[in-house]
Amino acid sequence: MIAEITQQDSANTLLNDYIKKITGQGFCGDTDTSYATRIVTATDNSIYQEIPQAVIYPKCSKDVQVAMQVASLDPFLSLSFGPRGGGTGTNGQSLTPGIVVDLSRYMREIIEINEEEGWVRVQAGVIKDQLNDFLRPYGYFFAPDLSTSNRATIGGMINTDASGQGSLVYGKTSDHVLELKTILVDGTELNTCKLELEKAQVLAEQTNRVGEIYNVVLNSCRDNRAQVLEKFPRLNRFLTGYDLENVFDNDMTTFDLSRVITGSEGSLGIVTEAKLNVTRIQPFKTLINIKYDSFESALRNSPFLVAANATSVETVDSKVLNLAKQDVIWHSVSDLISDVPGVDVQGLNMVEFNGETPEEIEGKVTSLCDQLDQLIANKEAGVVGYQLTNDKSDILKIYAMRKKAVGLLGNTKGKQKPLAFAEDTAVPPENLADFILEFRELLDSKGLHYGMFGHVDAGVLHVRPALDMCDPEQEKLLREISDQVVALTAKYRGLMWGEHGKGYRSEYGPAFFGDALFTELRKIKTIFDKSNRLNPGKICTPLDSADSLVSVDDQKRAWFDKSINIQVRESFENAMNCNGNGLCFNYDQDSPMCPSYKVTKDRRHSPKGRASLIREWFRLQEEQGVDLLAAEKTLIEKQNDTTWWERFRNTQKKQKGFYDFSNEVKESMDECLACKACTTACPIKVDVPSFRARFLNLYYSKYNRPLKDHLVAGVEKTTPLMAKVPRLTNFFVNLPPVKSALKNIVGYVDTPKLSVPTLSSRVNSAQMYDEAQFAKLSKEEMSDIVFIVQDPFTSYYEAELVESFITLISKLGNKPVLLPFVPNGKAQHVKGFLKEFKSTASSANEFLSRIASYERPMVGLDASLVLCYRDEYLKILNKDELDFQVQLAHEWLATQDWNSIGRIESHESVKLLSHCTETSAMPQSKNVWSEIFSNLGIELNTPATGCCGMAGTYGHETDHQENSRNLYEMSWQHHTKNMASETILATGFSCRCQVKRYENQKPMHPIEFIAKNI
């Protein structure tokens, strides 16, 4: 049995008093001191881990001001704070041992836009892609482009002065900041913008808090101007944190205090609002993908490409390309970056041109292509081929692949993972190739593997050496490499931190700035935050402070991980490998990734959150001497050694409020819809449904299961029995007392109705499988047979769909044979009944393997269950592959000759909404359905959708009704609201049930539509 894990480092009296005080003073956001939330917030996209004391979630600037005003009172002066946005930083910028001020949950309001003047005002928690989706109809976009744009917040971009693709033209975030609203450590509201120098000097003469700040910063930057200009590298990725140079314009006539705050990593104040300039969208784009025989060739060719007046030049090496080819995302770009026959492509440069008219870019593109043709013909510069596209959707697909490449590096096989710690170096572009050659020599001399990609036009290349941080010797290498890269960038007149801020690399600040300028930084820190309470240790400390800077040697996530048994780490690598890249925080409501986070905005209910929690749970169970793998094996192969009475007593204690960290982990797992989007959409392939099922299996060795779990797990046994008397069952289930009991006692609502007439009455005996008869058939007699693999949902609740499939198979010239219903076990797996699931899977495997010996297609209709054969079966049966294969309907239909069917005469709009599990695991499925419908003369509209909110039994459970409905309204309702005027099709059984529940009209499966109309 698992151990009880007592309260970990709980909130102290001072902290509880502070939380109570701010709430009483009008703070209207959320506060959270739970260990689960603190663990989830203890990491970002870096290698570091720092557990905060608490997390507060303000809803507006006033909330932040209240929090800081109260913190400036005795006895709260010892509390420290760290602002946090998307948590995508690669150097621990948002990690703090104090109180996290998370602006990402609520502060997502786009306050106003001025089209004429080209600016927008936003709260700090607005997400970059959210802003651009808002701006697009106005013809604008916010220019700094990041690989994490679908979850990075504007506040985070401001605090790290972020930049990315196209910075040569568009600059950094600070180049687009017009005004900032910042709350200082004492609660003072500081509003900053560019001012005429005379006005700034007047402000500096005031005796208030704002005047003191203007006075110190203005004098410090002006008095040290010559030294700043001499010391700071002349780079597109100019130095930030703190930007002593650009507070003044070149002729020293204006002063902008916002420039010091931008890039300050929350160490000077908490930015709550920003006024930003926005850029006109240039409607015409061309992207040229240039392929090289080596990565060095790609690097050395980049100045030639920049000289072609391109908007941006991005590069990736062969390691990144090969990882992308193994990911589902490659399906979307494989025809846009095709192989070169007989050549091993080792590098790729992506060159983009933008213009207001086609003519504006046509000459540039033609000139470059002519030069590339010449290089290829002469076998010069390592250029081996190129491809060109003007299609905006294709260009977006390529950049989506490039963005995902950042996370894909973390999916490298083995214990050594490419890490971000010295990966945003910036040097003058003309020095980049030589710099990278020395960088590679450094890594090669230590026998390390690495991946490279980045912005060669700006001299920034992301280099991620692969290290195992659980190995003390390799952790030492991290320090050695960091020190040597600092020296290397200095040699080439560059920066260690060209794009991703300082964070835990702040210790290198004094050496870079020199004593004099670093003292000026400390003066600025002192006037803003003399007690070092805002993100302490980052960038610099105040004058006269005994506090130290954070260091690359500080506490890392691996310090916790390596205390977990190595066999457990390897067995649960689908959780252990999470590197915090945060793609599961994707803002896009039409992406299937991750519905529980989208609807709650609670990071505990995300793949990263769940992976963080279960890792900590492993560690704490290990501390208690629990052998998790042995316990799991006993539960699956033998039986639970805990009596019902012991489980009852533990459950009673839980209900009375006794603490067990396992319950916090369980709460997070309960919100998972088991949609499996994370297993493919996540670049690391974090697989929450798999480790969730294993956790539940272990958890319920200590606690009693709820009744609804037993009912769900037994659905494949009870449904066939109920289907023997479907009318009576439907009548009984819909009686008000029964519905009330199901809702209030079982916790289950909106039970679907069994099919009437039943499937057995719709199918003739010749279409039923008879093993004795089949044993007599020759291969020739079986040549046109197609086996239909039943599932409990379509067979018993949508018999009309199975009947339609039988009709369609016959129309295509084949003989349909309905196999007997054999339980699949998916529901058992979802609820963590792994012993029962293994038994079910073994029986199904034995039966379907026998059917496979006929060497005829086996086809199933429900994606969740069919994909269960391909994934969960392999794991529970410990097999690399099964002896049978079950196809989904579209996979089999794609192989058929549709000429015999003819075209369907239909002029109505037909829209297909896909099951999220199917979309995630089989991203080409919509294209396959489109091709099938095209054969019938129908254009199929296949919009992107997220999760419908049903996801098996999730949407039927009482506790999930609000989230289920919100998910439906978020991603599906705008597609289904016009069902009266257009034909809506849906591939998922649960999706069709969800639409029926809220629209009172059930969409057809595409097979039903085809069968009805042919």
Side-chain angles (χ1 to χ4, degrees):
M1 183 176 73
I2 60 173
E4 182 178 291
I5 301 173
T6 55
Q7 187 75 44
Q8 301 292 307
D9 187 25
S10 58
N12 57 34
T13 302
L14 178 66
L15 192 61
N16 287 326
D17 288 346
Y18 172 76
I19 296 295
K20 183 178 179 180
K21 183 74 171 179
I22 64 171
T23 304
Q25 292 294 316
F27 182 90
C28 58
D30 299 339
T31 62
D32 196 338
T33 59
S34 70
Y35 191 56
T37 290
R38 291 161 55 217
I39 280 293
V40 170
T41 316
T43 57
D44 56 2
N45 193 17
S46 73
I47 57 178
Y48 302 98
Q49 178 162 326
E50 184 71 72
I51 300 175
Q53 292 175 294
V55 185
I56 62 175
Y57 303 90
K59 291 187 174 180
C60 58
S61 295
K62 183 65 177 175
D63 275 354
V64 178
Q65 191 167 37
V66 167
M68 293 297 100
Q69 285 172 341
V70 171
S72 67
L73 303 174
D74 194 22
F76 307 121
L77 295 172
S78 62
L79 298 177
S80 63
F81 299 83
R84 185 180 179 110
T88 58
T90 57
N91 294 291
Q93 293 95 321
S94 65
L95 304 185
T96 178
I99 298 172
V100 171
V101 183
D102 190 328
L103 296 97
S104 70
R105 179 178 290 183
Y106 293 119
M107 295 186 65
R108 296 190 182 188
E109 182 185 355
I110 299 172
I111 300 167
E112 62 176 322
I113 180 173
N114 188 312
E115 292 181 73
E116 292 74 23
E117 297 179 12
W119 57 262
V120 65
R121 191 183 304 277
V122 302
Q123 287 185 318
V126 167
I127 294 166
K128 166 70 162 54
D129 280 0
Q130 173 197 355
L131 177 57
N132 278 342
D133 286 345
F134 170 84
L135 292 172
R136 194 171 295 110
Y138 297 98
Y140 286 104
F141 76 112
F142 183 55
D145 194 13
L146 318 176
S147 65
T148 56
S149 61
N150 60 20
R151 64 262 197 206
T153 64
I154 298 300
M157 293 178 66
I158 290 168
N159 275 290
T160 54
D161 198 10
S163 58
Q165 179 196 340
S167 65
L168 204 61
V169 173
Y170 300 123
K172 304 179 72 172
T173 298
S174 56
D175 295 312
H176 300 273
V177 171
L178 300 176
E179 298 176 11
L180 292 178
K181 178 183 287 187
T182 306
I183 306 301
L184 303 181
V185 70
D186 61 356
T188 299
E189 181 182 302
L190 176 65
N191 293 290
T192 55
C193 62
K194 182 181 288 188
L195 300 171
E196 295 298 322
L197 183 58
E198 291 78 8
K199 291 184 179 180
Q201 289 171 330
V202 170
L203 283 175
E205 293 172 0
Q206 296 180 357
T207 57
N208 57 19
R209 184 92 167 85
V210 173
E212 291 172 351
I213 290 172
Y214 268 88
N215 181 56
V216 168
V217 177
L218 194 152
N219 288 329
S220 178
C221 295
R222 181 176 53 198
D223 295 348
N224 294 278
R225 182 74 172 171
Q227 190 176 355
V228 166
L229 293 177
E230 178 186 354
K231 186 70 177 177
F232 286 21
R234 301 298 95 197
L235 293 170
N236 165 260
R237 302 300 178 85
F238 51 80
L239 180 68
T240 58
Y242 310 129
D243 184 3
L244 305 181
E245 176 178 349
N246 290 294
V247 290
F248 293 111
D249 60 356
N250 290 334
D251 56 7
M252 300 283 289
T253 59
T254 64
F255 177 84
D256 189 355
L257 188 59
S258 298
R259 284 285 193 165
V260 170
I261 297 170
T262 304
S264 65
E265 300 182 16
S267 65
L268 301 180
I270 300 176
V271 175
T272 60
E273 290 181 15
K275 179 181 175 182
L276 310 167
N277 72 27
V278 290
T279 306
R280 280 283 180 192
I281 295 172
Q282 294 181 301
F284 297 94
K285 294 178 181 288
T286 295
L287 185 69
I288 306 175
N289 295 314
I290 308 172
K291 305 159 192 179
Y292 297 87
D293 61 1
S294 72
F295 190 53
E296 182 183 350
S297 295
L299 293 176
R300 293 202 179 279
N301 197 227
S302 59
F304 160 74
L305 302 174
V306 173
N309 294 318
T311 303
S312 68
V313 183
E314 296 286 294
T315 192
V316 294
D317 70 0
S318 58
K319 186 176 185 67
V320 174
L321 278 176
N322 290 334
L323 284 168
K325 289 177 180 179
Q326 298 166 26
D327 188 77
V328 292
I329 202 167
W330 191 254
H331 295 288
S332 63
V333 299
S334 56
D335 58 331
L336 304 171
I337 311 174
S338 58
D339 292 333
V340 178
V343 178
D344 183 15
V345 176
Q346 291 289 310
L348 181 74
N349 278 334
M350 296 170 280
V351 186
E352 181 180 331
F353 295 91
N354 293 336
E356 292 292 335
T357 64
E359 294 76 22
E360 187 178 339
I361 58 178
E362 185 176 347
K364 298 176 186 177
V365 171
T366 300
S367 174
L368 179 58
C369 289
D370 288 344
Q371 294 177 74
L372 291 172
D373 288 335
Q374 192 72 32
L375 291 175
I376 294 170
N378 296 335
K379 297 184 177 181
E380 294 177 346
V383 180
V384 296
Y386 67 90
Q387 286 175 265
L388 180 150
T389 180
N390 299 305
D391 186 275
K392 290 182 182 177
S393 64
D394 285 343
I395 292 172
L396 287 174
K397 290 174 186 175
I398 291 169
Y399 284 140
M401 181 277 293
R402 154 67 180 83
K403 288 182 176 183
K404 197 174 184 183
V406 180
L408 287 173
L409 278 171
N411 199 36
T412 302
K413 302 301 180 186
K415 295 177 183 177
Q416 294 177 313
K417 303 293 183 183
L419 303 179
F421 63 94
E423 51 86 60
D424 59 327
T425 54
V427 298
E430 62 273 16
N431 296 341
L432 182 61
D434 291 330
F435 168 76
I436 290 299
L437 282 181
E438 281 204 55
F439 201 153
R440 294 179 78 167
E441 287 174 6
L442 165 63
L443 299 179
D444 291 342
S445 70
K446 300 181 185 301
L448 298 177
H449 300 287
Y450 45 88
M452 295 186 173
F453 57 96
H455 325 289
V456 289
D457 51 355
V460 176
L461 205 63
H462 304 300
V463 183
R464 295 194 171 184
L467 295 169
D468 177 9
M469 286 291 95
C470 289
D471 181 344
E473 293 304 312
Q474 293 193 47
E475 186 180 354
K476 292 177 184 177
L477 270 182
L478 184 142
R479 155 62 70 181
E480 292 177 22
I481 293 168
S482 296
D483 290 347
Q484 290 172 292
V485 171
V486 168
L488 190 61
T489 53
K491 174 182 176 180
Y492 284 95
R493 291 288 296 159
L495 287 171
M496 172 73 157
W497 40 78
E499 183 169 287
H500 295 158
K502 293 188 180 72
Y504 279 77
R505 303 178 298 183
S506 294
E507 64 171 293
Y508 294 113
F512 175 82
F513 285 94
D515 289 341
L517 287 182
F518 195 72
T519 298
E520 297 305 314
L521 296 191
R522 298 186 71 188
K523 284 181 184 177
I524 292 172
K525 171 69 173 175
T526 302
I527 197 62
F528 274 92
D529 177 28
K530 66 179 180 181
S531 298
N532 200 26
R533 300 176 65 198
L534 292 177
N535 215 0
K538 309 292 171 56
I539 298 184
C540 67
T541 57
L543 292 171
D544 302 322
S545 171
D547 296 340
S548 59
L549 291 169
V550 291
S551 165
V552 296
D553 295 325
D554 282 351
Q555 179 175 271
K556 300 174 180 66
R557 187 166 55 229
W559 293 15
F560 298 86
D561 290 348
K562 63 187 175 185
S563 66
I564 301 168
N565 182 287
I566 191 167
Q567 282 78 28
V568 173
R569 278 188 266 155
E570 291 173 350
S571 181
F572 286 89
E573 65 177 4
N574 51 19
M576 297 300 303
N577 285 344
C578 176
N579 65 359
N581 74 85
L583 188 59
C584 47
F585 305 145
N586 188 349
Y587 140 83
D588 184 3
Q589 295 178 350
D590 290 329
S591 163
M593 180 73 152
C594 156
S596 59
Y597 172 69
K598 279 191 179 74
V599 76
T600 63
K601 295 185 176 67
D602 187 331
R603 295 180 191 262
R604 291 175 301 172
H605 303 315
S606 69
K608 176 185 182 290
R610 294 182 178 111
S612 299
L613 289 175
I614 203 164
R615 285 156 76 154
E616 180 66 358
W617 187 75
F618 294 155
R619 187 183 73 84
L620 295 174
Q621 289 290 336
E622 190 91 21
E623 280 188 357
Q624 297 293 319
V626 176
D627 187 333
L628 288 171
L629 297 184
E632 180 180 54
K633 185 176 181 180
T634 298
L635 290 170
I636 294 175
E637 296 185 359
K638 298 178 182 178
Q639 61 183 9
N640 190 359
D641 56 7
T642 309
T643 65
W644 177 88
W645 177 247
E646 288 176 296
R647 295 197 300 276
F648 173 77
R649 291 185 63 185
N650 290 333
T651 304
Q652 289 292 102
K653 285 177 63 179
K654 170 186 170 182
Q655 292 171 347
K656 290 177 181 178
F658 280 82
Y659 182 83
D660 181 354
F661 178 61
S662 298
N663 295 324
E664 289 196 67
V665 181
K666 164 71 163 43
E667 181 187 350
S668 169
M669 300 300 175
D670 279 345
E671 283 300 323
C672 174
L673 284 78
C675 66
K676 295 184 73 70
C678 52
T679 63
T680 52
C682 171
I684 310 301
K685 306 297 182 287
V686 168
D687 184 354
V688 175
S690 290
F691 68 70
R692 171 183 182 264
R694 296 176 69 181
F695 168 79
L696 291 176
N697 183 49
L698 290 161
Y699 177 84
Y700 285 118
S701 70
K702 182 178 178 66
Y703 295 98
N704 279 332
R705 289 180 180 273
L707 177 59
K708 67 182 178 184
D709 283 13
H710 289 282
L711 294 177
V712 170
V715 69
E716 293 184 291
K717 292 181 179 178
T718 57
T719 302
L721 297 175
M722 294 189 297
K724 293 183 183 297
V725 283
R727 287 186 174 88
L728 178 61
T729 301
N730 290 340
F731 172 77
F732 179 76
V733 168
N734 282 282
L735 288 173
V738 175
K739 290 174 71 173
S740 178
L742 285 171
K743 178 180 180 180
N744 298 313
I745 299 175
V746 178
Y748 199 83
V749 298
D750 299 328
T751 306
K753 290 184 177 181
L754 292 163
S755 295
V756 178
T758 63
L759 180 59
S760 59
S761 64
R762 298 170 187 252
V763 181
N764 62 56
S765 59
Q767 295 169 330
M768 304 289 285
Y769 175 73
D770 184 322
E771 190 163 8
Q773 289 295 322
F774 264 75
K776 301 174 185 178
L777 298 179
S778 66
K779 262 196 170 182
E780 186 176 343
E781 290 173 309
M782 287 195 294
S783 62
D784 58 352
I785 285 175
V786 177
F787 292 113
I788 301 174
V789 179
Q790 294 193 65
D791 66 81
F793 309 115
T794 58
S795 289
Y796 297 111
Y797 294 99
E798 288 188 328
E800 65 277 9
L801 170 56
V802 183
E803 183 182 24
S804 295
F805 193 37
I806 289 172
T807 300
L808 182 54
I809 292 171
S810 299
K811 289 282 189 179
L812 288 167
N814 297 280
K815 182 180 178 181
V817 173
L818 188 67
L819 292 173
F821 174 71
V822 174
N824 169 281
K826 173 70 175 180
Q828 293 170 333
H829 184 272
V830 168
K831 294 298 183 182
F833 288 84
L834 296 191
K835 180 178 182 179
E836 293 80 358
F837 177 58
K838 184 172 184 179
S839 175
T840 301
S842 297
S843 298
N845 176 56
E846 182 182 347
F847 173 73
L848 294 173
S849 294
R850 291 204 310 271
I851 300 300
S853 65
Y854 296 125
E855 298 181 354
R856 296 304 304 152
M858 288 187 281
V859 187
L861 290 170
D862 186 86
S864 293
L865 274 72
V866 169
L867 294 172
C868 184
Y869 295 129
R870 304 181 188 183
D871 185 9
E872 286 89 344
Y873 270 43
L874 295 176
K875 293 169 183 172
I876 199 70
L877 299 176
N878 195 26
K879 290 177 175 286
D880 293 327
E881 61 180 351
L882 301 177
D883 295 327
F884 68 90
Q885 180 184 17
V886 179
Q887 294 178 290
L888 275 166
H890 70 271
E891 294 177 293
W892 179 77
L893 290 171
T895 66
Q896 300 306 295
D897 181 3
W898 291 86
N899 292 325
S900 60
I901 298 292
R903 298 171 77 82
I904 295 176
E905 295 298 327
S906 174
H907 300 289
E908 60 187 271
S909 172
V910 180
K911 182 188 292 184
L912 176 66
L913 305 180
S914 295
H915 191 294
C916 56
T917 300
E918 184 178 347
T919 299
S920 299
M922 310 176 75
Q924 292 298 303
S925 60
K926 288 192 290 189
N927 296 338
V928 175
W929 279 117
S930 295
E931 186 64 29
I932 291 168
F933 273 70
S934 178
N935 290 329
L936 299 170
I938 295 178
E939 184 176 349
L940 191 65
N941 179 19
T942 59
T945 55
C947 179
C948 72
M950 181 60 80
T953 63
Y954 178 91
H956 288 296
E957 296 179 14
T958 309
D959 295 343
H960 299 145
Q961 290 310 290
E962 183 179 356
N963 285 348
S964 178
R965 175 150 204 146
N966 288 341
L967 282 168
Y968 177 76
E969 292 174 350
M970 184 187 297
S971 185
W972 273 60
Q973 193 165 56
H974 60 285
H975 292 299
T976 59
K977 62 184 178 182
N978 296 320
M979 287 187 72
S981 60
E982 63 180 343
T983 299
I984 303 291
L985 309 177
T987 56
F989 169 76
S990 57
C991 308
R992 296 189 292 275
C993 292
Q994 184 80 320
V995 176
K996 174 70 165 61
R997 174 159 70 163
Y998 294 127
E999 307 299 336
N1000 204 30
Q1001 186 176 346
K1002 192 173 186 177
M1004 290 186 286
H1005 189 284
I1007 285 172
E1008 290 179 88
F1009 176 84
I1010 296 171
K1012 178 182 175 183
N1013 288 280
I1014 58 177

